[in-house]
Amino acid sequence: MIIAMAIVFEKETKTFFLDGKGVTYAFFINDFGYAEHLYYGKTVGHDDLRYIRGRACSSRDATIPGNDRGGMNCYHYFPAELAFFGTGDYREPAVEVINPAGDRLTELLYDGYEILASKPKPSGMPALRDGETLVLHLKDKTAGLACDLYYTVYDDAAVVARRAVYRNEDAQRRLLRRAYSFTFGLPSQNYDVISLYGAWARERRIDRVPMHHGVVSIDSKRASSSATLNPFLALAAHGASEEQGEVYGFNLVYSSSYVLKVEGVNCGRTLVTGGVNDFDFTWVLESGACFETPEVVIAYSSDGIGGMSRAFHDAYRNHLVNPRYAKKTRPLVINNWEGTCFNFNNDKLKAIAKAVEGTGIDTFVLDDGWFGKRNDDTSGLGDWVVNTEKMEGGLTEIIRYVNSLGMKFGLWFEPEMVSEDSDLYRAHPDYAVAAPDRPHCYSRHQLLLDLTRKEVRDYIVESVNRVLHENNIAYVKWDFNRNATAFYSMGRAPEQQAEFAHRYALGLYDLCERIVEANPNVFFEGCSGGGARFDPAMLYYFPQIWTSDDSDAEERTYIQYGTSLAYPLSAMSCHVTEVPNHQTGRITPMKTRADIAHLGATGYELDTSAFTDEDRALMKEQIKEYHSMERLVLEGDLYRTASPQDSNLFGFMLVSKDKQEAVLTVYRRMGSVNNEYMRLQVRGLDEDTEYIVSGFEKTLRGSTLMNLGLMPRFPRGDFQTATYRFTAKKA
Ligand code: DGJ
């Protein structure tokens, strides 16, 4: 039996071919020992691809050091796997290092390779799991700096995962001023840059602008991946649409300050680079030490933006999210936050839980306010001890009650924070991030704990794990409600202070290893004052993340649409909440709220103690409906059929991998009368299969449905949904 290798080195042409699901990535080692990019796109044969090389530009660029002859003799001309600085390349470098003599030169050239059957985990950082991996060794013989480039491909996802490790092989220390994860090149500039921008309650709106000469850049300077700009961008060929055209997607597996850049280079090519933000960054690289960079996942699609999303979704569900939970039925929660805020006692909580007994809700989640002296958001963070004044009988009593109703119990924490009015702050004011002699900047009245310090992390691990070990807790919501300021760590040397943002990420991952990974039977949901830290690194630890504090169905169509560009529906925690909506004041029908919330890991968040029997029956019906489509949410392919940013409609179609089942949810924002004729798009079905379509008495072929579409039937009024189920007719 011949086992096909995903990664091959063709000796004659010195070309590396990496074959993933439907894609080939290729580069070769040129005569100067430079790793020169050749191709990433649809699968191609292992031909000699070097024929597409071309002298890109003949301006007066500098020669390769020590090589004063003409022709292709300049680093600036080569499509790069890793661009470096000071030796004739004027593009955005991936690395800048200050050498002991004060020069900033690097020349990282080929020094061998290894092909590993399975990918090693980066130390102290999350990354995609599994996958055959190429390690390309590069070395600067003069500067004593080495770099390993990691490339991983998968047979079940059209992505390449890349990262770089920089190593100081010299006897003297060096200062890294920039240490990005990758350089990636494309042969033209015919692309639009798509990014996801936003703010609290308005996360991940889609921006699309044509790229140009010079640099288009997105970043975060918050020591959090942020709601401002998600660590994602895509390059879509001009004119590429949801299901047509070439699209490349870039997503950093990182939760702190990052940067992603797209450079239109003067030679007509495009260079993409990024990783840890080099703004407010230096890193002391001691002799023998290495700096590991976060991974970037690069998706390829020839089937438009939708194809790119499906590539990311496959990669994340198969290789990023904890396999224990990735495709497993999720807890279906009732959360008390929007129902009570801080204003609750045991009786109120019990009434909320009792009201949903028998509806299909399986987990009761107690949100903020159960600990310390926490009656509003000015106090208590850091004191992870139950407030028995509010919660008579402690956690034991409410957990016992919830369990007696046949439900599991979940609890809210915000482990990275401290309130000034807390026992923790009174005992250890130095645990909060601050700069010497400067007053604090506050956000939601709270301060950030200095996760770069081990003793601070030890306190958090001990106090959170104690609550988890002493109580029957099946679920944790891990919140994070403010960004860093000061970017300073007490006790660290002055020349290491600009390491703060990256060290914060490493501290956070260490916490996650010691709390999340150490409690494998507890299901963790991520959260960040809504969805402000919705990134692949958090998804590695938290199988789902609270998508936004804005739970209004209309607003959620934008937020969930944008989020789905990179992240699978199973990653989005979506709750049915009260009306008028707490954030927008809008009233939408209960059915609409449920239909939109069911396009993710669904749950409920409202004061059910006021429920009538009718409300309860409706909830039960909705949960039954959700369970009947949950497999599609967890494992199906997503086809976006209408964008709320472009129209009065929103449409998501979920199709099972075997194309035997599908569901289409369409939402119409504004109702109107005497409407124009309208058809809905149907996508992703098998052309030859006959489908029974719910709501019709007809059986129709996939080809018919996908080409003719459907005529929507919305109920009268604004903010209405229509849902269709497609079931393959058994032969
Ligand atoms: C912000 C979260 O996004 C909310 O869901 C809620 O948990 C509050 N924090 C509690 O303070």
Side-chain angles (χ1 to χ4, degrees), residues 520-541:
N521 294 323
V522 179
F523 183 90
F524 282 80
E525 172 166 317
C527 178
S528 176
R533 201 166 58 182
F534 206 118
D535 62 60
M538 289 294 90
L539 213 47
Y540 178 92
Y541 294 109

Side-chain angles (χ1 to χ4, degrees), residues 200 335 337-338 342 367-369 374 377 412 414 444 477 479-481 527-531 546 548-549 605:
W200 172 78
N335 175 305
W337 178 249
E338 285 213 8
F342 295 104
D367 211 281
D368 195 354
R374 181 84 168 164
D377 59 11
W412 180 97
E414 195 174 2
R444 209 193 185 202
K477 178 174 170 188
D479 207 346
F480 174 80
N481 280 292
C527 178
S528 176
W546 181 229
S548 175
D549 276 348
E605 186 167 334

Side-chain angles (χ1 to χ4, degrees), residues 120-198:
K121 186 175 185 284
S123 58
M125 256 188 286
L128 262 60
R129 300 170 165 90
D130 330 306
E132 199 172 305
T133 298
L134 167 69
V135 191
L136 186 76
H137 303 299
L138 305 175
K139 197 176 172 98
D140 182 332
K141 296 200 173 88
T142 314
L145 185 78
C147 175
D148 290 337
L149 296 182
Y150 286 73
Y151 298 79
T152 307
V153 279
Y154 298 92
D155 58 10
D156 56 3
V159 303
V160 174
R162 290 193 51 186
R163 66 188 180 94
V165 177
Y166 299 96
R167 210 174 34 255
N168 181 3
E169 294 189 335
D170 194 63
Q172 283 178 277
R173 62 153 63 168
R174 266 148 183 71
L175 204 61
L176 281 176
R177 205 143 77 167
R178 173 181 290 189
Y180 289 168
S181 304
F182 71 109
T183 301
F184 175 79
L186 283 165
S188 83
Q189 295 176 3
N190 303 326
Y191 295 98
D192 296 333
V193 181
I194 299 175
S195 56
L196 298 172
Y197 71 97

Side-chain angles (χ1 to χ4, degrees), residues 467-721:
V467 179
L468 297 185
H469 295 160
E470 286 175 0
N471 297 283
N472 187 18
I473 291 169
Y475 177 112
V476 164
K477 178 174 170 188
W478 180 311
D479 207 346
F480 174 80
N481 280 292
R482 69 157 290 174
N483 291 141
T485 46
F487 301 89
Y488 192 91
S489 187
M490 298 292 178
R492 199 167 291 283
E495 69 270 23
Q496 285 192 294
Q497 288 298 341
E499 297 179 0
F500 179 88
H502 184 59
R503 284 195 182 276
Y504 189 88
L506 297 179
L508 170 61
Y509 302 146
D510 179 55
L511 271 195
C512 289
E513 293 287 332
R514 294 163 66 194
I515 298 177
V516 180
E517 303 287 273
N519 289 284
N521 294 323
V522 179
F523 183 90
F524 282 80
E525 172 166 317
C527 178
S528 176
R533 201 166 58 182
F534 206 118
D535 62 60
M538 289 294 90
L539 213 47
Y540 178 92
Y541 294 109
F542 308 136
Q544 63 191 47
I545 301 173
W546 181 229
T547 316
S548 175
D549 276 348
D550 192 342
S551 54
D552 171 54
E554 155 69 8
E555 298 281 306
R556 274 300 186 112
T557 61
Y558 290 82
I559 295 166
Q560 292 172 213
Y561 191 101
T563 305
S564 77
L565 253 55
Y567 306 99
L569 301 196
S570 56
M572 293 183 223
S573 175
C574 303
H575 291 176
V576 178
T577 57
E578 312 253 10
V579 286
N581 181 267
H582 284 201
Q583 284 74 32
T584 62
R586 189 176 284 124
I587 296 178
T588 53
M590 176 77 165
K591 174 171 174 353
T592 299
R593 280 177 274 150
D595 282 343
I596 300 301
H598 290 181
L599 296 169
T602 205
Y604 288 76
E605 186 167 334
L606 65 183
D607 184 358
T608 51
S609 65
F611 260 25
T612 62
D613 287 347
E614 257 170 75
D615 294 331
R616 217 183 331 274
L618 184 58
M619 186 184 215
K620 189 172 178 175
E621 191 51 39
Q622 288 177 349
I623 291 173
K624 199 169 141 213
E625 181 74 18
Y626 177 72
H627 280 312
S628 74
M629 64 181 276
E630 190 178 15
R631 281 292 111 209
L632 295 172
V633 172
L634 296 174
E635 297 180 65
D637 282 330
L638 170 67
Y639 293 83
R640 288 177 291 257
T641 58
S643 159
Q645 275 188 239
D646 303 337
S647 71
N648 194 32
L649 298 178
F650 157 94
F652 269 12
M653 178 141 182
L654 318 183
V655 184
S656 64
K657 289 276 178 196
D658 63 5
K659 298 194 182 289
Q660 296 295 292
E661 243 200 291
V663 61
L664 170 63
T665 301
V666 194
Y667 162 86
R668 186 184 63 184
R669 182 177 305 123
M670 288 291 127
S672 56
V673 285
N674 193 13
N675 291 315
E676 289 174 2
Y677 177 75
M678 182 181 24
R679 280 198 219 171
L680 292 180
Q681 305 239 25
V682 172
R683 288 178 182 148
L685 300 177
D686 177 59
E687 296 206 332
D688 300 325
T689 300
E690 288 189 307
Y691 294 92
I692 303 161
V693 187
S694 68
F696 288 169
E697 298 320 314
K698 285 198 169 54
T699 301
L700 295 164
R701 278 195 187 77
S703 58
T704 308
L705 284 162
M706 288 193 289
N707 287 301
L708 275 72
L710 286 177
M711 290 187 50
R713 290 181 205 150
F714 293 105
R716 215 161 148 239
D718 301 334
F719 317 123
Q720 299 292 340
T721 47

Side-chain angles (χ1 to χ4, degrees), residues 299-321:
Y300 171 77
S301 161
S302 55
D303 296 325
I305 303 164
M308 172 203 68
S309 299
R310 290 187 287 279
F312 278 126
H313 298 177
D314 284 341
Y316 294 168
R317 291 182 302 203
N318 296 340
H319 303 289
L320 180 69
V321 178

Side-chain angles (χ1 to χ4, degrees), residues 401-435:
Y401 183 77
V402 164
N403 290 164
S404 77
L405 298 176
M407 282 185 257
K408 293 180 176 169
F409 185 81
L411 199 58
W412 180 97
F413 288 90
E414 195 174 2
E416 299 156 70
M417 300 293 165
V418 64
S419 305
E420 262 186 352
D421 183 4
S422 69
D423 292 342
L424 175 63
Y425 188 81
R426 280 182 281 275
H428 298 285
D430 63 300
Y431 278 15
V433 176

